[in-house]
Amino acid sequence: MITEDSQTGSRVVYPTHRNEEQIAILLRKPEPDERALGFVLDSWCKTVAAEPPWNFDTPLPSPPLPPPVMIYEHDTLLKKIIRNSTLTLACDPDDEDTVWGFVCSEGDVLHFVYVKSAFRGFGIGGCLYRAAALPKGKVTISHRTESLYVAFPGVRFLWNPYRMIHGT
């Protein structure tokens, strides 16, 4: 069995306070042109459209971008981010083409962590977060969502949206 300290390979996700089950997952890097990259871009863009990182819950002087425009523009930006980042997929160990989630980081910046809703609560997000090998303490993020703060209440995130544009 590969331990939690390994970069990629099969891992056991231990029970969390939200779920009593212990499940195995496969962490792996995607191939350059594989179908999983479409899943990454689609889920990331849809999450940003649903939870814009710049939403401050205050009345805005102008309406936000319509979701189709936001998705199109953010997809273009993400393709540049992913090219220079480390992307790790969490997959079903019996079928590595079945992706349950992913994490995208670049150096000391967490760009995004995502787990499909059906697989949340199993500790997959925490396993992905640890696989990103981010520094302890304050973590710089380029994308912020309410879900991130709920999933990792003990982490102090420092939001810097310019890191998504200019990289590290």
Side-chain angles (χ1 to χ4, degrees):
M1 177 183 298
I2 297 175
T3 67
E4 273 289 321
D5 297 331
S6 303
Q7 282 299 100
T8 58
S10 296
R11 297 188 188 193
V12 173
V13 178
Y14 297 98
T16 66
H17 67 281
R18 295 188 292 175
N19 195 305
E20 302 280 324
E21 293 186 51
Q22 181 175 331
I23 63 169
I25 64 171
L26 172 69
L27 293 182
R28 67 177 182 85
K29 304 296 182 208
E31 296 298 322
D33 292 322
E34 89 172 83
R35 194 177 74 204
L37 293 176
F39 162 73
V40 168
L41 292 170
D42 185 61
S43 56
W44 194 342
C45 286
K46 286 179 178 175
T47 302
V48 167
E51 297 182 55
W54 44 86
N55 183 3
F56 293 98
D57 291 331
T58 59
L60 301 172
S62 60
L65 287 171
V69 173
M70 189 179 300
I71 288 171
Y72 174 80
E73 295 295 343
H74 214 75
D75 181 77
T76 302
L77 179 63
L78 294 182
K79 287 175 181 168
K80 293 176 185 174
I81 290 172
I82 289 172
R83 191 175 19 226
N84 298 317
S85 299
T86 300
L87 184 63
T88 302
L89 305 174
C91 304
D92 181 337
D94 296 325
D95 179 8
E96 69 177 38
D97 292 331
T98 301
V99 180
W100 294 337
F102 66 90
V103 65
C104 183
S105 61
E106 183 179 358
D108 66 343
V109 176
L110 173 63
H111 287 300
F112 209 73
V113 61
Y114 177 85
V115 176
K116 288 181 179 177
S117 60
F119 298 98
R120 293 178 188 157
F122 289 98
I124 295 169
C127 191
L128 286 165
Y129 182 84
R130 288 186 297 279
L134 297 162
K136 303 285 186 232
K138 301 173 187 172
V139 176
T140 301
I141 56 174
S142 65
H143 290 74
R144 65 178 185 170
T145 63
E146 184 177 342
S147 306
L148 180 69
Y149 293 98
V150 169
F152 302 100
V155 179
R156 178 145 186 251
F157 292 113
L158 302 173
W159 180 52
N160 184 346
Y162 298 106
R163 296 298 292 268
M164 84 172 97
I165 299 166
H166 299 294
T168 56

